[in-house]
Amino acid sequence: MAEFTKDELAQNEFVQETESDKEIVEFVVSHCDRWRDHRDTNYLEDWKEYERIFRGKWAAEDRTRESERSRIISPATQQAVETRHAEICEAIFGNGEWFDIRDDLVDQQLIDVELLKLQLKEDLEKENIRKAITQVELLAEIYGTGIGELTVSKKTEMYPQTMPMADGTAAYGVMEKEYTCVKLNPINPKNFLIDPNAVSIEDAMGVAIESYVSIHQVVSGIEKGIYRKVDIQPYGQDDDLEPTQEDVQFKDDKVLLMKYYGLVPREYIEQLENEEGEEVVDLFPEDSTADKYSDLVEAIVVIANGSTLLKAEKTPYMMKDRPVVAYQDDTVPNRFWGRGTVEKAYNMQKGIDAQLRAHLDSLALTTAPMIAMDATRLPRGAKFEVKPGKAILTNGNPAEILFPFKFGTTDQGNLAISQNFERMLLQATGTVDASGQPTQFTRDGAAQFSMSIAGIIKKYKRTLTNFQEDFLVPLIRKAAYRFMQFDPERYPAADYKFIPMATLGIIAREYEQQQLIALLQTLGPDTPVLPMILKGIIASSSLPNRAEMITQLEQMMQPNPEQQQLQQVEVQLKTAAAEAQVAKLQSEAVRNNASAQKDVVEAQLMPQETQAKVISGLSQNIRGANTDGEFERRAKIAELALKEEDIRSNERIASLQMLQKQSKSA
């Protein structure tokens, strides 16, 4: 038998519970018990039924009527939950970059923010942050509230290494390195407690997370010094705290762990830490209620099995924040717990199930073979069954003793009614049916289709906004603060601005692409905005090589220097040709103007020339005695001819002047 020294015996002893332990445990447990009672009374039974509807599990308390025999559950709500879940997750992670970091403009020290973003993304994705976020979003769709817990730990990573030796050879082996791990744990609302007076994590007096863990995890924490060395024992069973509802829950080697993040009296923490704080003057009388809440500090308290204190300390985080983030799937004002997809679909789901079960119960009566018989004329002890090829014994004519009995016919209207209920269910949840078409309208036009799709997208964006502002940005911010505190060499402490990068979901992307394609068909392939439209179509797609295609398209959109020079030369030639054409037209106009002026002058001189010719004609060829009379007669005839010629000349002059004015105005 081994012998131990006094020091060794002391090391092997468990920590004994003190009055300080009892005080802080009683303070935390009493508050959490009241919070749990309030939560269970108002929400627990509904949450259990929501889970059963989503998983398609039947329970006796879910029957719609006492005589109900069918246990079928319609998948309408399951489809609505999965559709919304897939759409939100696609909007979060579909773009590849799901968050961004920007440095504060007033900071004097400029840090490589892009390198920090890539490093933070790599460290978070190493711990499956995407999977955890999708699980939180799914819980929000089912229960109405998505909750996650951030944990910080040190992990050892092993990686292969090749080391050169002195003789020129190489040694192959495995190296180890320790790194800081920040992990997100999805929390089922059934395992979460919060002050009912609060509407957010920060407003609450405290929050608590209850869950069953394997006993080896607690023992490992004791060995690492995370928890106090206490005599831990397996605990009993509480079906309400189990992550899912099972027929038989595993009971062995489980410990009920409660992690409390919130305010506790300072004196309790100082007594546990053996600190000599300054004496505080009480503002309130010692026996008053206000005195219990007058001097509180932010702390972390871990309690096992409802009574054993494992850990109690002031919060070690530099920002004094709580490592819990939560958001509402659909906002309920002035309440912490939100409204999920299952709650929206609950009434219509019950209606669908009632119609389907009534239909199946009716089928059991109308399709199963039934027969009426004279029991007094059957052989004694006969067990009557209807089977193919079975011989039935009777004491007499079977036609008189046996009579087939039909209860009636099943009303097919139940299925039609259930389809109408399903349509209203999808309308209430803002989802689409199995054919991918919206159900909020009668499908009779593209305008109504666009309006319906727009309404669906708006509902998704509302949920996405809640997720970004209440969950994603606080999650990234708190994770970055943990890395800055516990891994300062890789993460320099600075003030950053975190921006979510969520984009459109699948439905919104398809709708946007349809709009862009319709615009492209309207404008045609020769439109100058063709590259911009193509870029928008590619950017809203989910192609794996989307970034490369956009880069190639942008390069195509940039002008080529040679093509640009050719275009300039072509423009110059076109300009010169246009100038030459204008000069030609101007010269022709000048020539036409000169010709018109010449015609005017000639028209003005023509009367004088004609008059001279007349006078010359009058003086010639006069013979005889009466020369004076002949001359006068000729003079009168010439005068009449000159007057007529003057009239025609004036008309020609006026016409030429009009043509000249018109040519000048042209």
Side-chain angles (χ1 to χ4, degrees):
M1 183 176 179
E3 295 182 359
F4 299 92
T5 63
K6 184 176 181 181
D7 293 336
E8 290 174 340
L9 288 173
Q11 292 177 359
N12 283 276
E13 293 179 354
F14 293 108
V15 175
Q16 299 298 321
E17 187 178 25
T18 64
E19 289 298 325
S20 298
D21 297 347
K22 294 179 181 179
E23 288 178 350
I24 195 169
V25 168
E26 194 277 333
F27 179 84
V28 173
V29 171
S30 62
H31 283 81
C32 290
D33 287 344
R34 295 196 296 270
W35 300 348
R36 187 187 305 106
D37 292 340
H38 178 272
R39 183 204 64 187
D40 293 350
T41 302
N42 292 278
Y43 307 105
L44 183 59
E45 294 303 322
D46 292 338
W47 289 346
K48 289 182 179 180
E49 188 172 2
Y50 296 163
E51 179 190 349
R52 291 194 295 268
I53 291 174
F54 173 70
R55 298 181 61 199
K57 296 287 186 178
W58 181 87
E61 55 266 33
D62 296 340
R63 291 185 298 181
T64 57
R65 51 189 170 83
E66 292 296 330
S67 60
E68 189 174 82
R69 298 179 59 191
S70 175
R71 299 185 178 185
I72 189 172
I73 298 176
S74 169
T77 299
Q78 302 174 34
Q79 174 186 324
V81 170
E82 292 170 357
T83 300
R84 285 182 57 87
H85 174 60
E87 185 70 15
I88 296 299
C89 291
E90 174 65 23
I92 299 169
F93 301 112
N95 194 32
E97 299 292 334
W98 48 285
F99 74 93
D100 194 10
I101 302 178
R102 295 181 184 176
D103 197 6
D104 194 347
L105 296 178
V106 300
D107 289 343
Q108 299 297 328
Q109 297 180 354
L110 298 179
I111 302 175
D112 192 351
V113 179
E114 187 66 23
L115 179 62
L116 180 68
K117 182 185 74 173
L118 296 176
Q119 186 170 285
L120 180 60
K121 180 181 177 182
E122 179 183 355
D123 290 342
L124 291 176
E125 291 182 349
K126 185 186 296 184
E127 301 302 325
N128 300 323
I129 187 70
R130 295 195 178 194
K131 181 179 180 180
I133 289 177
T134 56
Q135 292 179 3
V136 171
E137 209 286 323
L138 179 59
L139 291 173
E141 296 293 339
I142 298 173
Y143 301 102
T145 308
I147 308 169
E149 177 193 17
L150 277 172
T151 59
V152 184
S153 61
K154 292 287 186 179
K155 283 189 176 181
T156 302
E157 182 181 14
M158 303 178 66
Y159 59 95
Q161 183 72 24
T162 302
M163 298 184 63
M165 305 299 292
D167 55 357
T169 61
Y172 303 94
V174 177
M175 300 292 290
E176 295 182 354
K177 66 177 181 180
E178 191 178 55
Y179 70 96
T180 302
C181 163
V182 177
K183 186 176 181 180
L184 176 66
N185 296 324
I187 304 299
N188 193 304
K190 296 187 300 182
N191 302 106
F192 187 75
L193 301 175
I194 188 171
D195 181 5
N197 298 318
V199 295
S200 66
I201 300 294
E202 292 74 17
D203 296 339
M205 176 183 172
V207 297
I209 299 172
E210 296 180 298
S211 61
Y212 280 105
V213 299
S214 179
I215 192 172
H216 83 275
Q217 297 182 11
V218 180
V219 174
S220 176
I222 294 175
E223 292 175 346
K224 295 178 181 179
I226 300 175
Y227 298 142
R228 301 168 59 184
K229 188 177 180 181
V230 296
D231 186 12
I232 193 68
Q233 298 292 334
Y235 197 62
Q237 176 184 354
D238 186 356
D239 294 338
D240 294 341
L241 292 177
E242 297 294 343
T244 57
Q245 300 178 59
E246 304 292 344
D247 295 334
V248 178
Q249 299 287 354
F250 188 73
K251 302 179 181 179
D252 300 335
D253 299 333
K254 296 195 304 185
V255 175
L256 176 58
L257 207 66
M258 175 192 288
K259 289 181 283 187
Y260 174 84
Y261 304 104
L263 301 174
V264 297
R266 184 188 301 274
E267 58 179 341
Y268 295 162
I269 296 296
E270 292 180 350
Q271 290 174 3
L272 292 173
E273 297 177 352
N274 295 322
E275 295 182 357
E276 295 182 359
E278 297 181 1
E279 184 178 355
V280 180
V281 178
D282 291 337
L283 181 62
F284 304 97
E286 294 184 359
D287 57 349
S288 64
T289 303
D291 183 60
K292 299 178 182 179
Y293 304 96
S294 61
D295 189 17
L296 304 177
V297 294
E298 193 70 30
I300 299 177
V301 181
V302 182
I303 301 173
N305 299 334
S307 59
T308 304
L309 183 64
L310 293 179
K311 180 181 180 180
E313 63 178 2
K314 294 180 182 178
T315 179
Y317 304 121
M318 63 179 185
M319 302 302 292
K320 306 301 179 183
D321 55 350
R322 295 167 182 171
V324 181
V325 285
Y327 81 101
Q328 294 182 346
D329 182 72
D330 193 8
T331 303
V332 179
N334 299 323
R335 198 180 80 177
F336 174 79
W337 303 109
R339 189 168 67 113
T341 302
V342 183
E343 183 177 349
K344 298 176 186 177
Y346 179 78
N347 290 325
M348 292 301 102
Q349 177 69 36
K350 300 297 284 188
I352 296 171
D353 291 343
Q355 291 296 136
L356 292 179
R357 292 171 186 175
H359 182 75
L360 294 180
D361 289 346
S362 176
L363 286 177
L365 297 174
T366 58
T367 60
M370 291 184 289
I371 191 167
M373 67 190 70
D374 186 356
T376 62
R377 301 175 67 178
L378 292 177
R380 181 175 296 179
K383 183 179 180 181
F384 186 83
E385 293 179 351
V386 178
K387 293 182 180 179
K390 180 178 175 59
I392 301 175
L393 302 177
T394 60
N395 295 326
N397 186 3
E400 298 176 357
I401 300 171
L402 303 177
F403 178 75
F405 178 76
K406 189 173 183 180
F407 193 77
T409 59
T410 300
D411 185 7
Q412 299 298 324
N414 289 329
L415 294 179
I417 295 174
S418 66
Q419 291 176 357
N420 288 330
F421 282 150
E422 182 177 355
R423 180 183 59 83
M424 289 186 284
L425 182 146
L426 298 177
Q427 182 178 357
T429 56
T431 53
V432 294
D433 57 17
S435 63
Q437 298 295 330
T439 56
Q440 287 91 330
F441 67 98
T442 57
R443 303 172 179 86
D444 58 355
Q448 289 184 348
F449 180 85
S450 299
M451 292 175 62
S452 177
I453 287 293
I456 293 174
I457 295 173
K458 290 176 183 178
K459 292 181 180 180
Y460 286 140
K461 284 187 176 181
R462 184 179 62 181
T463 300
L464 186 61
T465 301
N466 289 348
F467 176 83
Q468 290 176 344
E469 295 183 355
D470 297 338
F471 188 89
L472 184 58
V473 172
L475 169 67
I476 302 301
R477 183 187 299 113
K478 292 184 179 183
Y481 291 157
R482 268 62 173 170
F483 281 118
M484 292 177 191
Q485 180 177 358
F486 298 103
D487 196 0
E489 295 181 357
R490 299 173 62 239
Y491 290 88
D495 183 17
Y496 300 107
K497 183 179 181 180
F498 300 93
I499 303 172
M501 299 291 290
T503 57
L504 300 177
I506 288 294
I507 295 178
R509 288 182 181 181
E510 292 179 354
Y511 175 68
E512 188 175 86
Q513 283 189 343
Q514 290 178 1
Q515 300 294 320
L516 292 175
I517 292 173
L519 179 62
L520 184 61
Q521 293 176 349
T522 303
L523 297 178
D526 298 331
T527 176
V529 296
L530 176 63
M532 299 179 61
I533 297 177
L534 293 177
K535 183 178 179 182
I537 294 174
I538 297 173
S540 62
S541 67
S542 57
L543 298 173
N545 58 342
R546 177 180 53 193
E548 292 81 359
M549 295 179 66
I550 293 177
T551 302
Q552 188 68 24
L553 186 61
E554 289 177 349
Q555 292 177 358
M556 294 174 59
M557 294 171 60
Q558 294 178 356
N560 190 353
E562 297 179 357
Q563 293 181 354
Q564 198 170 14
Q565 291 179 358
L566 292 176
Q567 290 177 356
Q568 291 178 356
V569 171
E570 184 178 357
V571 170
Q572 291 175 357
L573 291 176
K574 289 182 178 180
T575 303
E579 291 176 351
Q581 184 69 20
V582 171
K584 180 180 178 181
L585 295 175
Q586 289 178 350
S587 64
E588 290 180 354
V590 171
R591 185 173 62 252
N592 294 334
N593 190 16
S595 178
Q597 290 179 355
K598 178 182 177 182
D599 293 340
V600 170
V601 172
E602 290 178 353
Q604 291 176 353
L605 294 176
M606 188 176 295
Q608 299 176 2
E609 182 180 355
T610 302
Q611 191 173 16
K613 289 180 179 181
V614 170
I615 295 172
S616 175
L618 291 174
S619 61
Q620 294 177 1
N621 299 324
I622 300 176
R623 295 187 184 138
N626 192 10
T627 57
D628 295 335
E630 182 66 20
F631 182 82
E632 291 179 358
R633 186 178 63 84
R634 291 184 178 184
K636 291 181 179 180
I637 295 171
E639 185 179 358
L640 294 175
L642 287 174
K643 290 181 178 180
E644 183 178 356
E645 186 64 24
D646 288 340
I647 293 172
R648 289 197 296 268
S649 177
N650 291 332
E651 290 179 352
R652 287 196 298 270
I653 292 172
S655 177
L656 290 174
Q657 289 178 349
M658 290 295 295
L659 291 175
Q660 187 176 5
K661 290 181 180 180
Q662 290 178 358
S663 63
K664 288 182 179 181
S665 63

